[in-house]
Amino acid sequence: MTTRIPRNAKRVFYATESTTRTKPDGEVIRVAGREQRSTTFREARQFLDDLGVPGGVTVWTERSQQTNAYADRRADGSWVALDRLTGNWVPLPEATQEQV
Protein backbone atom coordinates (compact mmCIF):
# COMPACT_ATOMS: atom_id res chain seq x y z
CA MET A 1 0.00 0.00 0.00
CA THR A 2 1.51 3.32 -1.02
CA THR A 3 0.43 6.65 0.34
CA ARG A 4 0.99 9.92 -1.47
CA ILE A 5 2.30 12.58 0.88
CA PRO A 6 1.43 16.13 -0.25
CA ARG A 7 4.34 18.55 -0.59
CA ASN A 8 2.72 20.94 1.88
CA ALA A 9 2.08 18.32 4.58
CA LYS A 10 2.43 19.80 8.05
CA ARG A 11 2.82 16.38 9.68
CA VAL A 12 4.06 13.00 8.42
CA PHE A 13 3.75 9.74 10.36
CA TYR A 14 6.37 7.01 9.81
CA ALA A 15 5.28 3.48 10.69
CA THR A 16 8.26 1.13 10.98
CA GLU A 17 8.21 -2.61 11.59
CA SER A 18 10.63 -3.77 14.30
CA THR A 19 12.60 -6.93 13.67
CA THR A 20 15.58 -8.53 15.36
CA ARG A 21 18.77 -9.90 13.86
CA THR A 22 21.53 -11.96 15.42
CA LYS A 23 25.10 -10.80 14.91
CA PRO A 24 27.86 -13.36 14.27
CA ASP A 25 28.97 -12.99 17.91
CA GLY A 26 25.45 -14.00 19.08
CA GLU A 27 24.26 -10.54 20.10
CA VAL A 28 20.61 -9.88 19.16
CA ILE A 29 19.99 -6.40 17.81
CA ARG A 30 16.76 -4.58 16.94
CA VAL A 31 16.59 -3.31 13.36
CA ALA A 32 13.97 -1.62 11.20
CA GLY A 33 11.98 -3.61 8.69
CA ARG A 34 9.26 -2.37 6.36
CA GLU A 35 8.24 1.25 6.60
CA GLN A 36 5.36 3.41 5.39
CA ARG A 37 4.84 7.16 5.41
CA SER A 38 1.31 8.39 6.13
CA THR A 39 -0.49 11.67 6.59
CA THR A 40 -2.56 10.33 9.53
CA PHE A 41 -1.86 8.17 12.56
CA ARG A 42 -4.85 6.04 11.57
CA GLU A 43 -3.10 4.97 8.35
CA ALA A 44 0.18 4.27 10.17
CA ARG A 45 -1.62 2.21 12.81
CA GLN A 46 -3.53 0.27 10.16
CA PHE A 47 -0.27 -0.53 8.33
CA LEU A 48 1.29 -2.19 11.39
CA ASP A 49 -1.98 -3.88 12.40
CA ASP A 50 -2.35 -5.37 8.90
CA LEU A 51 1.20 -6.73 9.07
CA GLY A 52 0.54 -8.08 12.57
CA VAL A 53 4.03 -7.14 13.74
CA PRO A 54 5.52 -5.01 16.51
CA GLY A 55 6.75 -1.62 15.47
CA GLY A 56 6.77 2.05 16.13
CA VAL A 57 5.23 5.22 14.79
CA THR A 58 7.17 8.46 14.75
CA VAL A 59 5.90 11.86 13.64
CA TRP A 60 7.71 14.58 11.73
CA THR A 61 6.36 18.11 11.99
CA GLU A 62 7.05 20.97 9.63
CA ARG A 63 7.23 23.58 12.38
CA SER A 64 10.02 21.91 14.40
CA GLN A 65 11.65 20.00 11.51
CA GLN A 66 12.12 17.13 13.98
CA THR A 67 10.97 13.53 14.19
CA ASN A 68 9.69 12.33 17.57
CA ALA A 69 8.33 9.07 19.00
CA TYR A 70 4.54 8.93 18.84
CA ALA A 71 3.30 5.37 19.54
CA ASP A 72 4.45 1.72 19.64
CA ARG A 73 2.74 -1.52 18.73
CA ARG A 74 3.78 -4.32 21.07
CA ALA A 75 4.25 -7.96 20.04
CA ASP A 76 0.90 -8.87 21.64
CA GLY A 77 -0.92 -6.35 19.40
CA SER A 78 -1.50 -3.71 22.06
CA TRP A 79 -0.68 -0.06 21.43
CA VAL A 80 0.99 2.46 23.74
CA ALA A 81 1.49 6.18 23.16
CA LEU A 82 4.03 8.56 24.61
CA ASP A 83 2.51 11.07 27.04
CA ARG A 84 4.52 14.23 26.37
CA LEU A 85 3.69 15.76 29.77
CA THR A 86 4.92 12.87 31.92
CA GLY A 87 7.28 11.06 29.53
CA ASN A 88 5.48 7.78 30.26
CA TRP A 89 4.02 5.31 27.79
CA VAL A 90 0.24 4.96 28.23
CA PRO A 91 -2.07 2.34 26.66
CA LEU A 92 -4.16 3.35 23.65
CA PRO A 93 -7.70 2.04 23.22
CA GLU A 94 -8.24 -0.77 20.75
CA ALA A 95 -9.06 0.36 17.22
CA THR A 96 -12.60 -0.38 16.14
CA GLN A 97 -13.92 -0.55 12.59
CA GLU A 98 -15.47 2.91 13.02
CA GLN A 99 -12.07 4.40 13.94
CA VAL A 100 -10.25 2.66 11.11
Side-chain angles (χ1 to χ4, degrees), residues 7 10 17 22 26 28 33 39-40 43-44 50 55 67-68 73-74 76 80 91-92 99-100:
R7 286 182 200 250
K10 304 287 184 206
E17 170 191 15
T22 305
V28 177
T39 54
T40 64
E43 291 173 352
D50 287 348
T67 303
N68 295 306
R73 184 180 194 276
R74 307 290 186 195
D76 64 0
V80 292
L92 281 177
Q99 292 173 326
V100 178

Side-chain angles (χ1 to χ4, degrees), residues 29-72:
I29 57 172
R30 183 177 167 184
V31 297
R34 293 169 279 193
E35 183 177 272
Q36 176 183 326
R37 296 184 315 163
S38 306
T39 54
T40 64
F41 174 65
R42 181 185 303 177
E43 291 173 352
R45 184 175 182 163
Q46 186 65 44
F47 172 73
L48 291 174
D49 283 341
D50 287 348
L51 290 177
V53 296
V57 176
T58 57
V59 62
W60 171 87
T61 55
E62 178 198 30
R63 175 179 276 182
S64 69
Q65 295 290 308
Q66 294 181 353
T67 303
N68 295 306
Y70 193 79
D72 276 344

